[in-house]
Coordinates of all heavy atoms in Angstrom, one line a residue:
M1 N 29.4 96.4 211.5 CA 28.8 97.6 212.1 C 28.3 98.6 211.0 O 27.5 99.4 211.4 CB 29.8 98.3 213.0 CG 30.3 97.5 214.2 SD 31.4 98.5 215.2 CE 30.5 98.4 216.7
G2 N 28.8 98.5 209.8 CA 28.2 99.3 208.8 C 28.9 100.7 208.6 O 28.4 101.6 208.0
F3 N 30.1 100.9 209.3 CA 30.8 102.2 209.1 C 31.7 102.1 207.9 O 32.5 101.1 207.8 CB 31.6 102.5 210.4 CG 30.7 102.7 211.6 CD1 30.8 101.8 212.6 CD2 29.9 103.8 211.7 CE1 30.0 101.9 213.7 CE2 29.1 103.9 212.9 CZ 29.2 103.0 213.9
P4 N 31.6 103.0 207.0 CA 32.6 103.0 205.9 C 34.0 103.4 206.3 O 34.2 104.4 207.0 CB 32.0 104.0 204.9 CG 31.2 104.9 205.7 CD 30.7 104.1 206.9
L5 N 35.0 102.5 206.0 CA 36.3 102.8 206.4 C 37.2 103.0 205.2 O 37.0 102.4 204.1 CB 36.9 101.6 207.2 CG 36.2 101.3 208.5 CD1 36.8 100.0 209.1 CD2 36.3 102.4 209.5
K6 N 38.1 104.0 205.3 CA 39.1 104.2 204.2 C 40.5 104.3 204.8 O 40.7 104.8 205.9 CB 38.8 105.6 203.6 CG 37.6 105.7 202.7 CD 37.4 107.0 202.1 CE 36.1 107.1 201.3 NZ 35.9 108.4 200.7
K7 N 41.4 103.6 204.2 CA 42.8 103.6 204.7 C 43.5 104.9 204.2 O 43.4 105.3 203.0 CB 43.5 102.4 204.1 CG 44.9 102.3 204.7 CD 45.6 101.0 204.3 CE 47.0 101.0 204.9 NZ 47.6 99.7 204.9
R8 N 44.1 105.5 205.1 CA 44.8 106.8 204.8 C 46.1 106.4 204.1 O 46.8 105.5 204.4 CB 45.1 107.5 206.1 CG 43.9 108.1 206.7 CD 44.2 108.9 208.0 NE 45.5 109.5 208.1 CZ 46.0 110.0 209.2 NH1 45.3 110.0 210.3 NH2 47.2 110.6 209.2
E9 N 46.5 107.3 203.1 CA 47.7 107.1 202.3 C 48.9 107.3 203.2 O 49.9 106.7 203.0 CB 47.7 108.0 201.1 CG 46.6 107.7 200.1 CD 46.7 106.4 199.5 OE1 47.8 105.9 199.2 OE2 45.6 105.8 199.2
D10 N 48.8 108.2 204.2 CA 50.0 108.6 205.0 C 50.1 107.8 206.3 O 50.9 108.1 207.2 CB 50.1 110.1 205.2 CG 48.8 110.5 206.0 OD1 47.8 109.8 206.0 OD2 48.9 111.7 206.5
S11 N 49.3 106.8 206.4 CA 49.3 106.0 207.7 C 50.5 105.1 207.8 O 51.0 104.6 206.7 CB 48.0 105.2 207.8 OG 48.0 104.2 206.9
V12 N 50.9 104.8 209.0 CA 52.1 104.0 209.2 C 51.6 102.7 210.0 O 50.8 102.9 210.9 CB 53.2 104.7 210.0 CG1 54.3 103.8 210.3 CG2 53.6 106.0 209.3
N13 N 52.1 101.6 209.6 CA 51.7 100.4 210.3 C 52.4 100.4 211.7 O 53.6 100.6 211.8 CB 52.2 99.1 209.6 CG 51.4 98.9 208.4 OD1 50.3 99.4 208.2 ND2 51.9 98.1 207.4
T14 N 51.6 100.4 212.8 CA 52.2 100.5 214.1 C 52.6 99.2 214.7 O 53.4 99.1 215.6 CB 51.1 101.2 215.0 OG1 50.0 100.4 215.0 CG2 50.8 102.6 214.6
Y15 N 52.1 98.1 214.1 CA 52.4 96.8 214.7 C 52.4 95.8 213.6 O 51.5 95.7 212.7 CB 51.4 96.4 215.8 CG 51.7 95.0 216.4 CD1 52.7 94.9 217.3 CD2 51.0 93.9 216.0 CE1 53.0 93.6 217.8 CE2 51.3 92.7 216.5 CZ 52.3 92.5 217.5 OH 52.6 91.3 218.0
T16 N 53.4 95.0 213.5 CA 53.5 93.9 212.6 C 53.6 92.6 213.4 O 54.5 92.5 214.3 CB 54.8 94.0 211.7 OG1 54.7 95.3 211.0 CG2 54.8 92.9 210.6
V17 N 52.8 91.6 213.0 CA 52.8 90.4 213.7 C 54.0 89.6 213.3 O 54.3 89.4 212.1 CB 51.5 89.6 213.4 CG1 51.5 88.2 214.1 CG2 50.3 90.3 213.8
P18 N 54.8 89.1 214.3 CA 56.0 88.4 213.9 C 55.7 87.0 213.4 O 54.7 86.4 213.9 CB 56.8 88.3 215.3 CG 55.8 88.4 216.3 CD 54.7 89.3 215.7
E19 N 56.4 86.5 212.5 CA 56.2 85.2 211.9 C 57.0 84.2 212.8 O 58.2 84.3 213.0 CB 56.7 85.1 210.5 CG 56.4 83.7 209.9 CD 56.9 83.7 208.4 OE1 56.9 84.7 207.8 OE2 57.2 82.6 208.0
I20 N 56.2 83.2 213.3 CA 56.8 82.2 214.2 C 56.7 80.9 213.5 O 55.7 80.4 213.2 CB 56.1 82.1 215.6 CG1 56.2 83.5 216.3 CG2 56.7 81.0 216.4 CD1 55.4 83.6 217.5
R21 N 57.9 80.3 213.2 CA 57.9 79.0 212.5 C 58.5 78.0 213.5 O 59.5 78.2 214.1 CB 58.7 79.0 211.3 CG 58.1 80.0 210.3 CD 58.7 79.8 208.9 NE 58.4 78.6 208.3 CZ 57.4 78.4 207.4 NH1 56.7 79.4 207.1 NH2 57.2 77.3 206.8
R22 N 57.7 76.9 213.7 CA 58.2 75.8 214.6 C 59.1 74.9 213.9 O 58.9 74.5 212.7 CB 57.0 75.1 215.2 CG 56.1 75.9 216.1 CD 54.9 75.2 216.6 NE 55.3 73.8 217.0 CZ 55.2 73.4 218.3 NH1 54.7 74.3 219.2 NH2 55.6 72.2 218.7
K23 N 60.1 74.4 214.6 CA 60.9 73.3 214.1 C 60.4 72.0 214.6 O 60.2 71.8 215.8 CB 62.4 73.5 214.6 CG 63.1 74.7 214.1 CD 63.6 74.3 212.7 CE 64.4 75.5 212.2 NZ 65.0 75.3 210.9
I24 N 60.1 71.1 213.7 CA 59.6 69.8 214.0 C 60.7 68.8 214.2 O 61.6 68.7 213.4 CB 58.6 69.2 213.0 CG1 57.4 70.1 212.8 CG2 58.2 67.8 213.3 CD1 56.4 69.7 211.8
S25 N 60.8 68.2 215.4 CA 61.9 67.2 215.6 C 61.4 65.8 215.3 O 60.4 65.4 215.8 CB 62.3 67.3 217.1 OG 61.2 67.1 217.9
W26 N 62.1 65.2 214.4 CA 61.8 63.8 214.1 C 62.6 62.9 215.0 O 63.8 63.1 215.2 CB 62.2 63.6 212.6 CG 61.5 64.4 211.6 CD1 61.8 65.6 211.1 CD2 60.2 64.1 211.1 NE1 60.9 66.0 210.2 CE2 59.8 65.2 210.3 CE3 59.2 63.1 211.3 CZ2 58.6 65.2 209.6 CZ3 58.1 63.1 210.6 CH2 57.8 64.2 209.8
V27 N 61.9 61.8 215.4 CA 62.6 60.8 216.3 C 62.6 59.5 215.5 O 61.6 59.0 215.1 CB 61.7 60.7 217.6 CG1 62.4 59.6 218.5 CG2 61.6 62.0 218.3
K28 N 63.8 59.0 215.4 CA 63.9 57.7 214.7 C 63.8 56.6 215.7 O 64.4 56.6 216.8 CB 65.3 57.5 214.0 CG 65.5 58.3 212.8 CD 66.8 58.0 212.1 CE 66.9 58.8 210.8 NZ 68.1 58.4 210.1
P29 N 62.8 55.7 215.5 CA 62.6 54.6 216.4 C 63.8 53.6 216.4 O 64.5 53.5 215.3 CB 61.3 53.9 216.0 CG 61.2 54.3 214.6 CD 61.9 55.6 214.4
T30 N 64.1 52.9 217.5 CA 65.1 51.9 217.5 C 64.6 50.6 217.0 O 63.5 50.2 217.2 CB 65.7 51.7 218.9 OG1 64.6 51.4 219.7 CG2 66.3 53.0 219.4
V31 N 65.4 49.9 216.2 CA 65.0 48.7 215.6 C 66.0 47.6 216.1 O 67.2 47.8 216.1 CB 65.0 48.8 214.0 CG1 64.7 47.4 213.4 CG2 64.1 49.8 213.6
T32 N 65.5 46.4 216.4 CA 66.3 45.4 216.9 C 67.0 44.5 215.8 O 68.1 44.0 216.0 CB 65.5 44.4 217.8 OG1 64.4 43.9 217.1 CG2 65.1 45.2 219.1
T33 N 66.3 44.4 214.6 CA 66.9 43.7 213.5 C 67.3 44.6 212.4 O 66.7 45.7 212.2 CB 65.9 42.6 213.0 OG1 64.8 43.3 212.5 CG2 65.5 41.7 214.1
S34 N 68.2 44.2 211.6 CA 68.6 45.1 210.5 C 67.8 44.8 209.2 O 68.0 45.5 208.2 CB 70.1 44.9 210.2 OG 70.3 43.6 209.8
A35 N 66.9 43.9 209.3 CA 66.1 43.6 208.1 C 65.1 44.7 207.8 O 64.6 44.9 206.6 CB 65.3 42.3 208.3
T36 N 64.6 45.5 208.8 CA 63.7 46.6 208.5 C 64.4 47.9 208.7 O 65.3 48.0 209.4 CB 62.5 46.5 209.5 OG1 63.1 46.6 210.9 CG2 61.8 45.2 209.4
K37 N 63.9 48.8 207.9 CA 64.5 50.2 207.9 C 63.6 51.1 208.9 O 62.4 51.1 208.7 CB 64.5 50.8 206.5 CG 65.2 52.1 206.4 CD 65.2 52.5 205.0 CE 65.9 53.9 204.8 NZ 65.8 54.4 203.5
P38 N 64.2 51.7 209.9 CA 63.4 52.6 210.7 C 62.9 53.8 210.0 O 63.5 54.4 209.1 CB 64.4 53.0 211.8 CG 65.7 52.8 211.3 CD 65.6 51.8 210.2
E39 N 61.7 54.1 210.3 CA 61.0 55.3 209.7 C 60.9 56.4 210.7 O 60.7 56.2 211.9 CB 59.6 54.9 209.2 CG 59.6 53.9 208.1 CD 58.2 53.6 207.6 OE1 57.3 54.4 207.9 OE2 58.1 52.7 206.8
P40 N 61.0 57.7 210.3 CA 60.8 58.8 211.2 C 59.4 58.8 211.9 O 58.5 58.4 211.2 CB 61.0 60.0 210.4 CG 61.5 59.6 209.1 CD 61.2 58.1 208.9
A41 N 59.4 59.3 213.1 CA 58.1 59.4 213.8 C 58.0 60.7 214.5 O 59.0 61.3 214.9 CB 58.0 58.3 214.8
L42 N 56.7 61.2 214.6 CA 56.5 62.5 215.3 C 56.2 62.2 216.7 O 55.6 61.2 217.1 CB 55.2 63.2 214.7 CG 55.4 63.9 213.3 CD1 54.0 64.4 212.9 CD2 56.3 65.0 213.4
S43 N 56.6 63.2 217.6 CA 56.2 63.1 219.0 C 54.7 63.4 219.1 O 54.2 64.0 218.2 CB 57.1 64.0 219.8 OG 56.7 65.4 219.6
I44 N 54.1 63.0 220.2 CA 52.7 63.2 220.3 C 52.4 64.7 220.5 O 51.3 65.2 220.0 CB 52.1 62.4 221.5 CG1 50.6 62.4 221.5 CG2 52.6 62.9 222.8 CD1 50.0 61.6 220.4
N45 N 53.3 65.5 221.0 CA 53.1 66.9 221.1 C 53.1 67.6 219.8 O 52.3 68.5 219.5 CB 54.2 67.5 222.0 CG 54.0 67.2 223.5 OD1 53.0 66.8 223.9 ND2 55.1 67.2 224.2
E46 N 54.0 67.2 218.9 CA 54.0 67.7 217.5 C 52.8 67.3 216.8 O 52.2 68.1 216.0 CB 55.3 67.3 216.8 CG 56.6 67.8 217.3 CD 56.7 69.3 217.2 OE1 56.0 69.9 216.3 OE2 57.4 70.0 218.0
Y47 N 52.3 66.1 216.9 CA 51.1 65.6 216.3 C 49.9 66.4 216.7 O 49.1 66.8 215.9 CB 51.0 64.1 216.5 CG 49.8 63.5 215.9 CD1 49.8 63.3 214.5 CD2 48.7 63.1 216.6 CE1 48.7 62.7 213.8 CE2 47.6 62.6 216.0 CZ 47.6 62.4 214.6 OH 46.5 61.8 214.0
D48 N 49.8 66.6 218.0 CA 48.7 67.4 218.6 C 48.7 68.8 218.0 O 47.7 69.4 217.8 CB 48.7 67.4 220.1 CG 48.3 66.1 220.7 OD1 47.6 65.3 219.9 OD2 48.6 65.8 221.8
N49 N 49.9 69.4 217.9 CA 50.0 70.8 217.4 C 49.6 70.8 215.9 O 48.9 71.8 215.5 CB 51.5 71.3 217.5 CG 51.6 72.7 217.1 OD1 50.8 73.5 217.5 ND2 52.6 73.0 216.3
I50 N 49.9 69.8 215.1 CA 49.5 69.8 213.7 C 48.0 69.7 213.6 O 47.3 70.4 212.9 CB 50.2 68.7 213.0 CG1 51.7 68.9 212.8 CG2 49.6 68.4 211.6 CD1 52.5 67.8 212.4
L51 N 47.4 68.8 214.5 CA 45.9 68.7 214.5 C 45.3 70.0 214.9 O 44.2 70.4 214.4 CB 45.5 67.6 215.4 CG 45.8 66.2 214.9 CD1 45.4 65.2 216.0 CD2 45.2 65.9 213.6
K52 N 45.9 70.7 215.9 CA 45.3 72.0 216.3 C 45.4 73.1 215.2 O 44.4 73.8 215.0 CB 46.1 72.5 217.5 CG 45.6 73.8 218.1 CD 46.5 74.3 219.3 CE 46.1 75.7 219.7 NZ 47.0 76.2 220.7
I53 N 46.4 73.1 214.4 CA 46.6 74.0 213.3 C 45.5 73.7 212.3 O 44.8 74.7 211.7 CB 48.0 74.0 212.7 CG1 49.0 74.6 213.7 CG2 48.1 74.7 211.4 CD1 50.4 74.4 213.4
I54 N 45.3 72.5 211.9 CA 44.3 72.1 210.9 C 42.9 72.4 211.4 O 42.1 73.0 210.7 CB 44.4 70.6 210.6 CG1 45.7 70.3 209.9 CG2 43.2 70.1 209.8 CD1 46.1 68.8 209.7
S55 N 42.6 72.2 212.7 CA 41.3 72.5 213.3 C 41.1 74.0 213.2 O 40.0 74.5 212.9 CB 41.2 72.0 214.7 OG 40.0 72.4 215.3
N56 N 42.1 74.8 213.6 CA 41.9 76.3 213.6 C 41.7 76.8 212.1 O 40.9 77.7 211.9 CB 43.2 76.9 214.2 CG 43.2 76.8 215.7 OD1 42.2 76.4 216.3 ND2 44.4 77.0 216.3
M57 N 42.4 76.2 211.2 CA 42.3 76.6 209.8 C 40.9 76.3 209.3 O 40.3 77.0 208.5 CB 43.3 76.0 208.9 CG 43.4 76.6 207.5 SD 43.8 78.3 207.6 CE 43.2 78.9 206.1
A58 N 40.3 75.1 209.7 CA 39.0 74.8 209.3 C 38.0 75.8 209.9 O 37.0 76.2 209.2 CB 38.6 73.4 209.8
L59 N 38.2 76.2 211.1 CA 37.3 77.3 211.7 C 37.4 78.6 210.9 O 36.3 79.2 210.6 CB 37.6 77.5 213.1 CG 37.2 76.5 214.1 CD1 37.7 76.8 215.5 CD2 35.7 76.4 214.2
V60 N 38.6 79.0 210.5 CA 38.7 80.2 209.7 C 38.0 80.1 208.4 O 37.3 81.0 207.9 CB 40.2 80.5 209.4 CG1 40.4 81.6 208.4 CG2 40.9 80.8 210.7
M61 N 38.1 78.9 207.7 CA 37.4 78.7 206.4 C 35.9 78.7 206.6 O 35.2 79.1 205.7 CB 37.9 77.4 205.8 CG 39.3 77.5 205.4 SD 40.0 75.9 204.7 CE 39.4 76.0 203.0
E62 N 35.4 78.1 207.7 CA 34.0 78.1 208.0 C 33.4 79.5 208.3 O 32.3 79.8 207.9 CB 33.7 77.2 209.2 CG 33.8 75.7 208.9 CD 33.6 74.9 210.1 OE1 33.2 75.4 211.2 OE2 33.7 73.7 210.0
R63 N 34.2 80.3 209.0 CA 33.7 81.6 209.4 C 33.8 82.7 208.3 O 33.2 83.7 208.3 CB 34.5 82.1 210.6 CG 34.1 81.2 211.8 CD 34.9 81.6 213.0 NE 34.5 80.8 214.1 CZ 35.2 80.7 215.3 NH1 36.3 81.4 215.4 NH2 34.8 79.9 216.2
S64 N 34.7 82.4 207.3 CA 34.8 83.4 206.2 C 34.8 82.6 204.8 O 35.8 82.6 204.2 CB 36.0 84.3 206.3 OG 37.1 83.5 206.5
P65 N 33.7 82.0 204.4 CA 33.7 81.2 203.2 C 33.9 82.0 201.9 O 34.4 81.5 201.0 CB 32.3 80.6 203.2 CG 31.5 81.5 204.1 CD 32.4 82.1 205.1
K66 N 33.6 83.3 201.9 CA 33.8 84.1 200.7 C 35.3 84.3 200.4 O 35.6 84.3 199.2 CB 33.2 85.5 200.9 CG 31.8 85.7 200.4 CD 31.4 87.1 200.4 CE 30.1 87.3 199.8 NZ 29.6 88.7 199.8
A67 N 36.1 84.3 201.4 CA 37.5 84.5 201.2 C 38.1 83.3 200.6 O 39.2 83.3 199.9 CB 38.2 84.8 202.5
F68 N 37.5 82.1 200.8 CA 38.1 80.8 200.2 C 37.3 80.3 199.1 O 37.7 79.2 198.6 CB 38.2 79.8 201.4 CG 39.1 80.2 202.5 CD1 38.7 80.9 203.6 CD2 40.5 80.0 202.3 CE1 39.6 81.3 204.6 CE2 41.4 80.3 203.3 CZ 40.9 81.0 204.4
S69 N 36.2 80.9 198.7 CA 35.4 80.3 197.6 C 36.1 80.2 196.3 O 36.0 79.1 195.7 CB 34.1 81.2 197.4 OG 34.4 82.4 197.0
K70 N 36.9 81.1 195.9 CA 37.6 81.0 194.6 C 38.7 79.9 194.7 O 38.9 79.2 193.8 CB 38.2 82.3 194.2 CG 37.2 83.4 193.8 CD 37.9 84.7 193.5 CE 36.9 85.7 193.2 NZ 37.5 87.0 192.9
W71 N 39.4 79.9 195.8 CA 40.4 78.9 196.1 C 39.8 77.5 196.0 O 40.4 76.6 195.4 CB 41.1 79.1 197.4 CG 42.1 78.2 197.7 CD1 43.4 78.1 197.2 CD2 42.0 77.1 198.6 NE1 44.1 77.1 197.8 CE2 43.3 76.4 198.6 CE3 41.0 76.6 199.5 CZ2 43.5 75.3 199.4 CZ3 41.2 75.5 200.2 CH2 42.5 74.9 200.2
M72 N 38.7 77.3 196.7 CA 38.0 76.0 196.7 C 37.6 75.6 195.3 O 37.6 74.4 194.9 CB 36.9 75.9 197.7 CG 37.3 76.0 199.1 SD 38.3 74.6 199.6 CE 37.2 73.3 199.5
K73 N 37.1 76.5 194.5 CA 36.6 76.2 193.2 C 37.8 75.7 192.3 O 37.6 74.7 191.6 CB 35.9 77.4 192.5 CG 35.5 77.1 191.1 CD 34.6 78.2 190.6 CE 34.1 77.9 189.2 NZ 34.5 76.8 188.5
R74 N 38.9 76.4 192.4 CA 40.1 75.9 191.7 C 40.6 74.6 192.1 O 41.0 73.7 191.3 CB 41.2 76.9 191.8 CG 41.0 78.2 190.9 CD 42.2 79.1 191.0 NE 42.1 79.7 192.3 CZ 43.1 80.4 192.8 NH1 44.3 80.5 192.2 NH2 43.0 81.0 194.0
A75 N 40.5 74.3 193.4 CA 40.9 73.0 194.0 C 40.0 71.9 193.5 O 40.5 70.8 193.1 CB 41.0 73.0 195.5
L76 N 38.7 72.2 193.5 CA 37.7 71.2 193.0 C 37.9 70.9 191.5 O 37.7 69.8 191.0 CB 36.3 71.6 193.3 CG 36.0 71.6 194.8 CD1 34.6 72.2 195.1 CD2 36.0 70.2 195.4
D77 N 38.2 72.0 190.7 CA 38.4 71.8 189.3 C 39.6 70.9 189.0 O 39.6 70.2 188.0 CB 38.6 73.2 188.6 CG 37.3 74.0 188.6 OD1 36.2 73.4 188.8 OD2 37.4 75.2 188.3
N78 N 40.6 70.9 189.9 CA 41.8 70.1 189.6 C 41.7 68.7 190.1 O 42.6 67.9 189.8 CB 43.0 70.7 190.4 CG 43.4 72.1 189.8 OD1 43.2 72.3 188.6 ND2 44.0 72.9 190.6
I79 N 40.5 68.3 190.6 CA 40.4 66.9 191.1 C 40.1 65.9 190.0 O 40.3 64.7 190.1 CB 39.3 66.9 192.2 CG1 39.8 67.6 193.5 CG2 38.9 65.4 192.6 CD1 38.8 67.6 194.6
S80 N 39.6 66.4 188.9 CA 39.2 65.4 187.8 C 40.3 64.6 187.4 O 40.9 63.7 187.6 CB 38.7 66.2 186.6 OG 39.8 67.1 186.2

């Protein structure tokens, strides 16, 4: 909008967003023979939630590329 904003020194934060961390539940599949070791598996709901988080983060990065430009440059430099 083009309005210059300045944060007041004596201002108080009126709202803090609570941090919500999800617990992922791992499900061990049942195995009929003892020759193979069962591996943990995600439920389809947890998998969908992970994909949703990744998709939302991709949108954030697309909508504000300046905020991530330095981070991406460092990540690309480390690929060699």
Side-chain angles (χ1 to χ4, degrees):
M1 294 183 124
F3 298 110
L5 299 176
K6 291 183 183 177
K7 184 172 181 169
R8 290 178 30 190
E9 298 293 327
D10 59 345
S11 67
V12 179
N13 291 339
T14 57
Y15 180 76
T16 303
V17 178
E19 183 177 331
I20 300 172
R21 299 195 67 100
R22 292 178 48 114
K23 292 281 185 175
I24 296 178
S25 59
W26 296 97
V27 179
K28 286 188 177 181
T30 57
V31 177
T32 56
T33 63
S34 62
T36 60
K37 185 178 179 183
E39 295 183 10
L42 285 174
S43 69
I44 193 69
N45 290 338
E46 292 296 336
Y47 182 73
D48 287 339
N49 185 45
I50 291 169
L51 290 179
K52 181 180 171 189
I53 291 170
I54 292 171
S55 175
N56 289 344
M57 192 61 203
L59 284 175
V60 169
M61 292 175 83
E62 287 176 3
R63 291 178 180 166
S64 55
K66 268 191 172 178
F68 295 94
S69 63
K70 290 180 184 175
W71 178 78
M72 289 300 294
K73 178 167 179 0
R74 282 186 286 166
L76 291 174
D77 289 343
N78 292 333
I79 290 179
S80 59

